[in-house]
Protein backbone atom coordinates (compact mmCIF):
# COMPACT_ATOMS: atom_id res chain seq x y z
CA UNK A 1 0.00 0.00 0.00
CA UNK A 2 0.92 3.65 -0.31
CA UNK A 3 0.99 4.19 3.41
CA UNK A 4 4.04 5.86 4.86
CA UNK A 5 4.87 7.32 8.22
CA UNK A 6 3.41 10.74 7.37
CA UNK A 7 -0.01 9.38 6.52
CA UNK A 8 -0.05 7.36 9.71
CA UNK A 9 1.03 10.41 11.65
CA UNK A 10 -1.81 12.50 10.37
CA UNK A 11 -4.46 9.91 11.09
CA UNK A 12 -3.79 8.64 14.52
CA UNK A 13 -2.00 11.10 16.71
CA UNK A 14 -3.32 10.82 20.21
CA UNK A 15 -4.92 13.79 21.79
CA UNK A 16 -3.54 15.63 24.73
CA UNK A 17 -4.71 13.81 27.85
CA UNK A 18 -4.40 16.19 30.73
CA UNK A 19 -8.06 17.13 30.96
CA UNK A 20 -9.21 15.50 34.21
CA UNK A 21 -8.08 16.27 37.74
CA UNK A 22 -6.86 12.69 38.02
CA UNK A 23 -3.98 13.55 35.70
CA UNK A 24 -0.79 12.76 37.60
CA UNK A 25 -2.36 11.47 40.83
CA UNK A 26 0.07 8.53 40.71
CA UNK A 27 3.04 10.49 39.44
CA UNK A 28 6.41 8.91 40.23
CA UNK A 29 4.93 5.81 41.84
CA UNK A 30 6.15 2.32 41.08
CA UNK A 31 3.84 0.54 38.65
CA UNK A 32 2.78 -3.05 39.26
CA UNK A 33 0.86 -4.56 36.36
CA UNK A 34 -0.84 -7.88 36.93
CA UNK A 35 -2.05 -9.81 33.90
CA UNK A 36 -4.59 -12.31 35.22
CA UNK A 37 -4.70 -15.44 33.12
CA UNK A 38 -8.08 -16.12 31.45
CA UNK A 39 -10.00 -13.93 33.89
CA UNK A 40 -13.39 -12.79 32.65
CA UNK A 41 -15.39 -9.99 34.19
CA UNK A 42 -18.41 -12.14 35.03
CA UNK A 43 -16.58 -13.63 38.05
CA UNK A 44 -16.42 -10.23 39.75
CA UNK A 45 -19.06 -9.96 42.50
CA UNK A 46 -20.46 -13.34 41.43
CA UNK A 47 -21.12 -16.22 43.80
CA UNK A 48 -21.08 -20.02 43.49
CA UNK A 49 -22.78 -22.09 46.16
CA UNK A 50 -23.26 -18.88 48.15
CA UNK A 51 -19.53 -18.01 48.11
CA UNK A 52 -17.78 -15.18 46.30
CA UNK A 53 -15.45 -16.32 43.50
CA UNK A 54 -13.17 -13.28 43.92
CA UNK A 55 -13.55 -11.98 47.50
CA UNK A 56 -10.19 -10.18 47.43
CA UNK A 57 -10.79 -8.40 44.12
CA UNK A 58 -14.34 -7.52 45.14
CA UNK A 59 -12.95 -5.75 48.21
CA UNK A 60 -10.11 -4.12 46.29
CA UNK A 61 -12.55 -2.71 43.76
CA UNK A 62 -14.25 -0.74 46.52
CA UNK A 63 -11.07 1.35 46.81
CA UNK A 64 -10.06 1.35 43.15
CA UNK A 65 -11.00 2.64 39.75
CA UNK A 66 -12.92 -0.31 38.42
CA UNK A 67 -13.61 -0.23 34.68
CA UNK A 68 -16.61 -2.49 34.40
CA UNK A 69 -17.25 -2.51 30.62
CA UNK A 70 -13.93 -3.37 29.04
CA UNK A 71 -13.63 -5.95 26.27
CA UNK A 72 -11.00 -8.55 25.45
CA UNK A 73 -9.47 -7.57 22.10
CA UNK A 74 -6.87 -10.31 21.81
CA UNK A 75 -6.54 -12.63 18.83
CA UNK A 76 -4.36 -15.70 18.23
CA UNK A 77 -1.52 -14.31 20.33
CA UNK A 78 -3.62 -14.65 23.51
CA UNK A 79 -1.64 -13.48 26.58
CA UNK A 80 1.04 -11.98 24.36
CA UNK A 81 -1.57 -9.97 22.43
CA UNK A 82 -2.84 -8.55 25.71
CA UNK A 83 0.70 -7.62 26.71
CA UNK A 84 1.31 -6.10 23.29
CA UNK A 85 -1.76 -3.85 23.50
CA UNK A 86 -0.90 -2.64 26.99
CA UNK A 87 2.73 -2.04 26.08
CA UNK A 88 2.30 -0.41 22.66
CA UNK A 89 -1.31 0.74 22.23
CA UNK A 90 -1.40 -1.06 18.87
CA UNK A 91 -3.82 -3.83 17.88
CA UNK A 92 -2.76 -7.47 17.68
CA UNK A 93 -2.21 -8.98 14.24
CA UNK A 94 -4.96 -10.73 12.24
CA UNK A 95 -3.07 -13.99 12.64
CA UNK A 96 -0.25 -15.15 14.86
CA UNK A 97 1.37 -13.15 17.65
CA UNK A 98 3.30 -9.90 17.10
CA UNK A 99 5.76 -11.18 19.71
CA UNK A 100 6.60 -14.07 17.41
CA UNK A 101 6.23 -12.41 14.02
CA UNK A 102 7.70 -8.96 14.56
CA UNK A 103 10.07 -9.09 17.54
CA UNK A 104 12.65 -6.86 15.85
CA UNK A 105 10.38 -3.97 14.96
CA UNK A 106 10.75 -0.59 16.56
CA UNK A 107 7.92 0.28 18.91
CA UNK A 108 7.14 3.04 21.36
CA UNK A 109 6.61 0.93 24.45
CA UNK A 110 5.39 1.72 27.93
CA UNK A 111 8.83 0.85 29.38
CA UNK A 112 10.43 3.30 26.90
CA UNK A 113 7.96 6.09 27.61
CA UNK A 114 8.37 5.76 31.37
CA UNK A 115 12.14 5.49 31.08
CA UNK A 116 12.25 8.66 28.99
CA UNK A 117 9.80 10.53 31.17
CA UNK A 118 11.34 9.84 34.55
CA UNK A 119 13.90 7.07 34.52
CA UNK A 120 11.72 4.07 35.21
CA UNK A 121 13.18 0.56 34.97
CA UNK A 122 10.93 -2.20 33.62
CA UNK A 123 10.81 -5.91 34.53
CA UNK A 124 8.58 -8.91 33.92
CA UNK A 125 7.85 -11.83 36.25
CA UNK A 126 6.28 -15.02 34.90
CA UNK A 127 6.58 -18.70 35.79
CA UNK A 128 6.67 -20.20 32.31
CA UNK A 129 9.71 -20.71 30.03
CA UNK A 130 11.29 -17.44 28.88
CA UNK A 131 10.95 -18.46 25.23
CA UNK A 132 7.19 -19.05 25.33
CA UNK A 133 5.53 -16.53 22.99
CA UNK A 134 9.07 -15.40 22.17
CA UNK A 135 8.85 -13.20 25.22
CA UNK A 136 12.57 -13.09 25.95
CA UNK A 137 13.43 -11.54 22.60
CA UNK A 138 10.43 -9.22 22.47
CA UNK A 139 10.92 -7.97 26.02
CA UNK A 140 14.53 -7.07 25.33
CA UNK A 141 13.42 -5.20 22.24
CA UNK A 142 10.72 -3.17 23.99
CA UNK A 143 12.72 -2.09 26.99
CA UNK A 144 12.36 -4.65 29.76
CA UNK A 145 15.66 -4.81 31.61
CA UNK A 146 15.18 -8.32 32.94
CA UNK A 147 12.68 -11.14 32.59
CA UNK A 148 12.32 -13.22 35.73
CA UNK A 149 11.05 -16.43 34.11
CA UNK A 150 10.90 -20.12 35.01
CA UNK A 151 14.63 -20.62 35.58
CA UNK A 152 14.46 -17.89 38.19
CA UNK A 153 12.01 -19.85 40.36
CA UNK A 154 12.30 -22.95 42.46
CA UNK A 155 9.78 -25.12 40.66
CA UNK A 156 8.96 -28.52 42.12
CA UNK A 157 6.32 -31.10 41.36
CA UNK A 158 4.69 -30.11 44.60
CA UNK A 159 4.40 -26.35 43.89
CA UNK A 160 3.38 -26.57 40.25
CA UNK A 161 0.44 -27.61 38.13
CA UNK A 162 -0.58 -27.39 34.48
CA UNK A 163 1.74 -24.80 32.83
CA UNK A 164 4.03 -24.40 35.82
CA UNK A 165 4.52 -22.87 39.24
CA UNK A 166 1.27 -22.11 41.04
CA UNK A 167 0.39 -18.48 41.60
CA UNK A 168 0.90 -18.39 45.39
CA UNK A 169 4.52 -19.68 45.36
CA UNK A 170 5.05 -17.57 42.22
CA UNK A 171 4.24 -14.34 44.04
CA UNK A 172 6.03 -15.46 47.21
CA UNK A 173 9.23 -16.28 45.34
CA UNK A 174 9.02 -13.13 43.22
CA UNK A 175 9.25 -10.92 46.33
CA UNK A 176 12.95 -11.57 46.81
CA UNK A 177 13.75 -10.02 43.43
CA UNK A 178 11.10 -7.34 43.57
CA UNK A 179 12.48 -5.83 46.78
CA UNK A 180 15.89 -5.40 45.21
CA UNK A 181 14.79 -3.51 42.08
CA UNK A 182 15.90 0.08 41.55
CA UNK A 183 12.98 2.54 41.84
CA UNK A 184 10.91 3.80 40.22
CA UNK A 185 10.07 0.58 38.42
CA UNK A 186 7.36 -0.90 36.30
CA UNK A 187 6.98 -4.58 37.16
CA UNK A 188 4.68 -6.83 35.19
CA UNK A 189 3.41 -10.05 36.77
CA UNK A 190 1.67 -12.68 34.66
CA UNK A 191 -0.34 -15.32 36.49
CA UNK A 192 -0.59 -18.90 35.24
CA UNK A 193 -2.73 -21.18 37.39
CA UNK A 194 -6.06 -20.09 35.92
CA UNK A 195 -5.27 -21.56 32.52
CA UNK A 196 -7.35 -24.04 30.54
CA UNK A 197 -8.14 -26.83 31.43
CA UNK A 198 -8.23 -25.26 34.93
CA UNK A 199 -6.59 -28.04 36.93
CA UNK A 200 -6.12 -27.73 40.68
CA UNK A 201 -5.43 -30.20 43.51
CA UNK A 202 -8.19 -30.53 46.04
CA UNK A 203 -6.14 -28.89 48.82
CA UNK A 204 -5.92 -25.69 46.74
CA UNK A 205 -9.61 -25.54 45.98
CA UNK A 206 -10.93 -22.80 48.22
CA UNK A 207 -14.48 -23.00 46.87
CA UNK A 208 -16.48 -26.00 45.77
CA UNK A 209 -16.57 -26.46 42.01
CA UNK A 210 -19.72 -25.08 40.39
CA UNK A 211 -22.46 -27.49 39.48
CA UNK A 212 -23.28 -26.68 35.90
CA UNK A 213 -23.39 -29.25 33.13
CA UNK A 214 -19.96 -28.15 31.91
CA UNK A 215 -17.00 -29.43 33.94
CA UNK A 216 -14.59 -26.89 32.47
CA UNK A 217 -16.73 -24.10 33.91
CA UNK A 218 -17.14 -25.93 37.22
CA UNK A 219 -13.37 -26.14 37.59
CA UNK A 220 -12.83 -22.57 36.34
CA UNK A 221 -14.40 -21.04 39.44
CA UNK A 222 -11.93 -22.94 41.64
CA UNK A 223 -8.85 -21.75 39.74
CA UNK A 224 -10.13 -18.17 39.63
CA UNK A 225 -10.72 -18.38 43.39
CA UNK A 226 -7.18 -19.69 43.87
CA UNK A 227 -5.75 -16.83 41.80
CA UNK A 228 -7.74 -14.36 43.93
CA UNK A 229 -6.10 -15.84 47.03
CA UNK A 230 -2.69 -15.50 45.41
CA UNK A 231 -3.34 -11.80 44.75
CA UNK A 232 -4.38 -11.34 48.37
CA UNK A 233 -1.12 -12.98 49.48
CA UNK A 234 0.88 -10.75 47.12
CA UNK A 235 -0.67 -7.60 48.56
CA UNK A 236 -0.01 -8.87 52.08
CA UNK A 237 3.68 -9.36 51.24
CA UNK A 238 3.93 -5.97 49.53
CA UNK A 239 2.53 -4.33 52.64
CA UNK A 240 4.98 -6.23 54.86
CA UNK A 241 7.87 -5.03 52.70
CA UNK A 242 6.62 -1.44 52.67
CA UNK A 243 6.15 -1.51 48.90
CA UNK A 244 2.39 -1.10 48.80
CA UNK A 245 1.89 2.62 49.51
CA UNK A 246 4.11 3.96 46.79
CA UNK A 247 2.72 1.84 43.99
CA UNK A 248 -0.06 2.10 41.43
CA UNK A 249 -1.58 -1.29 40.61
CA UNK A 250 -3.06 -2.14 37.22
CA UNK A 251 -4.85 -5.48 37.30
CA UNK A 252 -6.55 -6.88 34.24
CA UNK A 253 -7.88 -10.14 32.80
CA UNK A 254 -5.86 -11.01 29.70
CA UNK A 255 -8.66 -12.66 27.68
CA UNK A 256 -11.56 -15.06 27.96
CA UNK A 257 -11.05 -18.39 29.71
CA UNK A 258 -14.23 -20.14 28.68
CA UNK A 259 -14.38 -20.55 24.93
CA UNK A 260 -17.65 -20.68 23.06
CA UNK A 261 -17.59 -24.44 23.13
CA UNK A 262 -18.00 -24.49 26.94
CA UNK A 263 -19.95 -21.27 27.35
CA UNK A 264 -23.29 -22.89 28.05
CA UNK A 265 -21.99 -23.60 31.55
CA UNK A 266 -21.44 -19.88 32.12
CA UNK A 267 -24.90 -19.00 30.82
CA UNK A 268 -26.28 -21.63 33.20
CA UNK A 269 -24.27 -20.22 36.11
CA UNK A 270 -25.49 -16.72 35.39
CA UNK A 271 -29.06 -17.79 34.65
CA UNK A 272 -29.15 -16.27 31.19
CA UNK A 273 -29.85 -17.43 27.67
CA UNK A 274 -27.22 -18.31 25.13
CA UNK A 275 -27.57 -15.40 22.68
CA UNK A 276 -25.01 -13.60 20.49
CA UNK A 277 -25.29 -10.47 22.66
CA UNK A 278 -24.80 -12.43 25.88
CA UNK A 279 -21.78 -14.10 24.31
CA UNK A 280 -20.44 -10.66 23.42
CA UNK A 281 -20.91 -9.39 26.98
CA UNK A 282 -18.97 -12.39 28.25
CA UNK A 283 -15.95 -11.05 26.36
CA UNK A 284 -15.57 -8.45 29.08
CA UNK A 285 -12.50 -8.60 31.28
CA UNK A 286 -12.01 -6.81 34.60
CA UNK A 287 -9.72 -3.76 34.59
CA UNK A 288 -8.79 -2.37 37.99
CA UNK A 289 -6.47 0.52 38.76
CA UNK A 290 -5.64 0.89 42.42
CA UNK A 291 -3.85 3.88 43.89
CA UNK A 292 -3.46 3.49 47.67
CA UNK A 293 -5.34 6.22 49.51
CA UNK A 294 -7.46 7.13 46.50
CA UNK A 295 -11.22 6.80 46.74
CA UNK A 296 -12.83 4.05 44.69
CA UNK A 297 -15.06 4.60 41.69
CA UNK A 298 -16.71 2.34 39.13
CA UNK A 299 -16.33 3.67 35.60
CA UNK A 300 -18.91 2.25 33.22
CA UNK A 301 -17.49 3.66 30.00
CA UNK A 302 -17.21 1.15 27.17
CA UNK A 303 -13.62 0.46 26.36
CA UNK A 304 -11.07 -2.09 25.27
CA UNK A 305 -7.97 -3.64 26.66
CA UNK A 306 -5.96 -1.41 24.34
CA UNK A 307 -7.11 1.60 26.40
CA UNK A 308 -5.28 0.49 29.53
CA UNK A 309 -2.10 2.20 28.40
CA UNK A 310 -3.44 5.74 27.89
CA UNK A 311 -5.43 5.50 31.11
CA UNK A 312 -2.39 4.48 33.11
CA UNK A 313 -0.29 7.24 31.54
CA UNK A 314 -3.00 9.73 32.51
CA UNK A 315 -2.82 8.66 36.15
CA UNK A 316 0.99 8.77 36.03
CA UNK A 317 0.91 12.29 34.65
CA UNK A 318 2.61 11.42 31.38
CA UNK A 319 1.26 13.30 28.42
CA UNK A 320 0.21 11.21 25.42
CA UNK A 321 -0.05 14.20 23.12
CA UNK A 322 1.32 13.42 19.65
CA UNK A 323 2.03 9.81 20.42
CA UNK A 324 1.05 7.26 17.82
CA UNK A 325 -1.23 4.67 19.36
CA UNK A 326 -4.86 3.55 19.35
CA UNK A 327 -5.17 3.67 23.11
CA UNK A 328 -7.68 6.08 24.64
CA UNK A 329 -7.97 7.45 28.14
CA UNK A 330 -10.93 5.62 29.73
CA UNK A 331 -11.70 8.59 31.96
CA UNK A 332 -12.60 10.68 28.92
CA UNK A 333 -13.26 8.12 26.19
CA UNK A 334 -16.02 9.07 23.74
CA UNK A 335 -18.95 6.70 24.31
CA UNK A 336 -19.71 6.62 20.62
CA UNK A 337 -16.23 5.50 19.64
CA UNK A 338 -16.51 1.76 18.94
CA UNK A 339 -14.48 -0.84 20.79
CA UNK A 340 -12.86 -2.78 17.98
CA UNK A 341 -12.27 -6.50 17.77
CA UNK A 342 -9.63 -8.11 15.62
CA UNK A 343 -12.23 -9.81 13.41
CA UNK A 344 -13.68 -6.39 12.52
CA UNK A 345 -16.66 -6.59 14.90
CA UNK A 346 -17.33 -3.76 17.30
CA UNK A 347 -19.31 -2.56 20.32
CA UNK A 348 -20.37 1.08 20.56
CA UNK A 349 -22.65 2.80 23.07
CA UNK A 350 -25.91 1.99 21.29
CA UNK A 351 -25.01 -0.58 18.64
CA UNK A 352 -22.96 -3.72 18.41
CA UNK A 353 -21.93 -5.83 15.45
CA UNK A 354 -21.31 -9.52 15.96
CA UNK A 355 -21.87 -12.72 13.99
CA UNK A 356 -22.61 -10.68 10.84
CA UNK A 357 -25.52 -8.92 12.53
CA UNK A 358 -26.07 -5.38 13.75
CA UNK A 359 -27.85 -5.11 17.11
CA UNK A 360 -29.38 -2.23 18.97
CA UNK A 361 -27.98 -2.85 22.41
CA UNK A 362 -30.82 -1.27 24.39
CA UNK A 363 -33.66 -3.28 22.87
CA UNK A 364 -31.35 -6.24 22.02
CA UNK A 365 -33.04 -6.30 18.61
CA UNK A 366 -31.45 -7.02 15.26
CA UNK A 367 -31.45 -3.85 13.18
CA UNK A 368 -30.47 -2.90 9.65
CA UNK A 369 -26.74 -3.16 8.99
CA UNK A 370 -26.76 0.55 8.06
CA UNK A 371 -26.90 1.37 11.75
CA UNK A 372 -23.53 -0.25 12.24
CA UNK A 373 -21.82 0.75 9.02
CA UNK A 374 -20.03 3.90 10.14
CA UNK A 375 -18.68 2.11 13.22
CA UNK A 376 -17.53 -0.80 11.10
CA UNK A 377 -15.76 1.62 8.80
CA UNK A 378 -13.90 3.10 11.77
CA UNK A 379 -13.01 -0.40 12.86
CA UNK A 380 -11.61 -1.32 9.45
CA UNK A 381 -9.57 1.88 9.28
CA UNK A 382 -8.08 1.52 12.74
CA UNK A 383 -7.08 -2.09 12.17
CA UNK A 384 -5.61 -1.21 8.81
CA UNK A 385 -3.52 1.63 10.21
CA UNK A 386 -2.31 -0.54 13.06
CA UNK A 387 -1.37 -3.35 10.66
CA UNK A 388 0.40 -0.85 8.39
CA UNK A 389 2.51 0.34 11.30
CA UNK A 390 3.47 -3.19 12.29
CA UNK A 391 4.02 -4.70 8.83
CA UNK A 392 5.80 -1.57 7.59
CA UNK A 393 7.81 -1.23 10.83
CA UNK A 394 6.87 2.45 10.60
CA UNK A 395 8.22 3.52 13.98
CA UNK A 396 11.58 3.50 12.24
CA UNK A 397 10.41 6.77 10.67
CA UNK A 398 8.44 8.28 13.54
CA UNK A 399 10.26 10.06 16.40
CA UNK A 400 9.51 8.08 19.55
CA UNK A 401 10.56 7.30 23.09
CA UNK A 402 13.18 4.56 23.39
CA UNK A 403 14.83 5.33 20.11
CA UNK A 404 18.59 4.85 19.91
CA UNK A 405 19.90 8.34 20.17
C1 LIG B 1 1.95 -18.87 29.05
C2 LIG B 1 0.81 -18.06 29.49
C3 LIG B 1 -0.47 -18.57 28.92
O1 LIG B 1 3.20 -18.35 29.36
O2 LIG B 1 1.01 -16.71 29.28
O3 LIG B 1 -0.55 -18.30 27.59
P1 LIG B 1 -1.91 -18.19 26.75
O4 LIG B 1 -2.19 -19.57 26.27
O5 LIG B 1 -3.01 -17.69 27.60
O6 LIG B 1 -1.53 -17.23 25.71
MN1 LIG C 1 -3.51 -16.02 28.68
Amino acid sequence: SEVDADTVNSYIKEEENTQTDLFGIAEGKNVILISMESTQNFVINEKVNGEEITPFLNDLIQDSFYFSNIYDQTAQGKTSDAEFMVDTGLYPLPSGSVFVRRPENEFESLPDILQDHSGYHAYTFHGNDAEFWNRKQMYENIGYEHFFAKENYNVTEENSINYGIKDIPFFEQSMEDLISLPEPYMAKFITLTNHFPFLLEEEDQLVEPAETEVDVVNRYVTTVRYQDKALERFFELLKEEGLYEDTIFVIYGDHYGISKKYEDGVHELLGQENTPLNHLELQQIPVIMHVPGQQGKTIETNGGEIDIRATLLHLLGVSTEDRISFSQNLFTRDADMPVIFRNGDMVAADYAHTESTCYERGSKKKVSNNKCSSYLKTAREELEHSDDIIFGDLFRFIPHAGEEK
Side-chain angles (χ1 to χ4, degrees):
S1 72
E2 288 297 288
V3 174
D4 59 15
D6 285 344
T7 336
V8 171
N9 247 310
S10 64
Y11 272 112
I12 55 160
K13 277 210 166 155
E14 275 187 59
E15 281 169 24
E16 171 262 346
N17 69 337
T18 56
Q19 62 276 53
T20 89
D21 53 14
L22 297 172
F23 184 77
I25 59 161
E27 182 154 20
K29 285 186 185 286
N30 294 322
V31 179
I32 290 186
L33 283 155
I34 305 174
S35 172
M36 298 186 291
E37 181 54 46
S38 300
T39 305
Q40 294 177 230
N41 199 35
F42 79 83
V43 299
I44 300 295
N45 290 320
E46 185 61 38
K47 290 182 173 176
V48 272
N49 306 316
E51 297 216 49
E52 290 173 275
I53 305 172
T54 57
F56 173 72
L57 287 179
N58 297 348
D59 270 1
L60 186 74
I61 279 168
Q62 298 297 315
D63 304 313
S64 305
F65 299 114
Y66 168 46
F67 302 92
S68 61
N69 283 294
I70 307 303
Y71 293 83
D72 165 14
Q73 294 168 301
T74 61
Q76 288 172 348
K78 305 299 295 286
T79 314
S80 72
D81 280 352
E83 295 183 66
F84 181 69
M85 281 187 272
V86 173
D87 276 337
T88 68
L90 302 175
Y91 290 100
L93 288 176
S95 68
S97 161
V98 189
F99 274 40
V100 176
R101 296 186 63 188
R102 291 286 162 162
E104 286 168 348
N105 269 23
E106 285 190 32
F107 292 106
E108 182 172 60
S109 69
L110 206 46
D112 290 337
I113 294 171
L114 296 180
Q115 164 68 241
D116 260 31
H117 182 262
S118 38
Y120 276 74
H121 304 270
Y123 305 90
T124 308
F125 295 79
H126 181 51
N128 201 353
D129 297 313
E131 280 74 27
F132 198 92
W133 284 131
N134 198 29
R135 281 182 172 113
K136 191 172 158 42
Q137 186 185 2
M138 184 63 159
Y139 286 165
E140 274 170 23
N141 180 29
I142 61 178
Y144 286 92
E145 290 177 34
H146 190 75
F147 178 19
F148 299 93
K150 186 177 187 173
E151 70 268 12
N152 201 256
Y153 293 85
N154 174 27
V155 186
T156 63
E157 201 172 319
E158 173 124 283
N159 74 9
S160 56
I161 194 153
N162 204 0
Y163 271 73
I165 186 168
K166 291 187 269 193
D167 293 341
I168 291 175
F170 163 67
F171 282 120
E172 287 176 344
Q173 292 187 30
S174 297
M175 285 310 293
E176 211 174 302
D177 293 306
L178 184 65
I179 57 175
S180 65
L181 300 183
E183 299 181 87
Y185 55 75
M186 165 182 154
K188 168 158 69 176
F189 292 83
I190 304 168
T191 68
L192 200 50
T193 307
N194 186 43
H195 195 286
F196 187 87
F198 313 113
L199 307 175
L200 199 59
E201 284 109 1
E202 199 153 350
E203 69 202 46
D204 291 320
Q205 294 181 14
L206 306 167
V207 281
E208 293 291 313
E211 286 164 7
T212 75
E213 292 191 350
V214 184
D215 278 338
V216 167
V217 174
N218 300 346
R219 290 198 298 273
Y220 180 71
V221 302
T222 68
T223 48
V224 173
R225 176 68 183 86
Y226 173 84
Q227 176 186 255
D228 187 80
K229 184 74 184 174
L231 294 172
E232 182 177 13
R233 177 81 182 120
F234 186 36
F235 272 65
E236 203 176 88
L237 291 168
L238 290 167
K239 284 178 182 170
E240 276 173 24
E241 295 293 345
L243 292 174
Y244 165 76
E245 287 295 333
D246 209 27
T247 299
I248 173 174
F249 296 86
V250 178
I251 306 174
Y252 66 94
D254 63 351
H255 51 72
Y256 70 85
I258 308 297
S259 64
K260 226 171 164 180
K261 181 171 173 197
Y262 302 107
E263 209 170 68
D264 275 333
V266 180
H267 294 305
E268 186 186 335
L269 192 77
L270 302 178
Q272 67 187 21
E273 280 177 59
N274 181 350
T275 65
L277 277 187
N278 283 339
H279 168 70
L280 184 67
E281 294 314 304
L282 284 180
Q283 304 318 300
Q284 291 188 346
I285 47 159
V287 174
I288 300 161
M289 299 200 189
H290 179 73
V291 183
Q294 182 72 29
Q295 235 192 333
K297 191 171 186 222
T298 295
I299 294 106
E300 294 178 351
T301 313
N302 274 320
E305 212 164 357
I306 201 166
D307 299 322
I308 291 172
R309 166 172 142 140
T311 312
L312 170 62
L313 289 173
H314 182 70
L315 295 175
L316 288 173
V318 180
S319 168
T320 54
E321 194 176 358
D322 287 346
R323 289 193 202 289
I324 306 284
S325 100
F326 300 92
S327 185
Q328 295 177 48
N329 180 2
L330 290 166
F331 291 108
T332 54
R333 195 183 195 283
D334 179 354
D336 213 33
M337 175 69 192
V339 177
I340 295 161
F341 302 103
R342 187 59 249 197
N343 66 3
D345 280 344
M346 66 86 201
V347 191
D350 298 329
Y351 297 97
H353 190 273
T354 183
E355 298 181 12
S356 313
T357 309
C358 182
Y359 291 90
E360 187 178 54
R361 296 182 69 200
S363 65
K364 302 189 182 223
K365 292 224 160 72
K366 294 183 184 183
V367 294
S368 154
N369 272 327
N370 295 337
K371 300 279 188 196
C372 283
S373 56
S374 70
Y375 300 111
L376 292 175
K377 182 166 178 273
T378 305
R380 272 195 308 275
E381 283 170 0
E382 287 230 341
L383 292 170
E384 211 176 284
H385 292 319
S386 182
D387 291 348
D388 284 341
I389 292 171
I390 297 168
F391 288 129
D393 193 5
L394 295 186
F395 271 105
R396 286 177 301 160
F397 311 116
I398 302 165
H400 60 277
E403 222 168 344
E404 306 278 334
K405 292 201 179 97

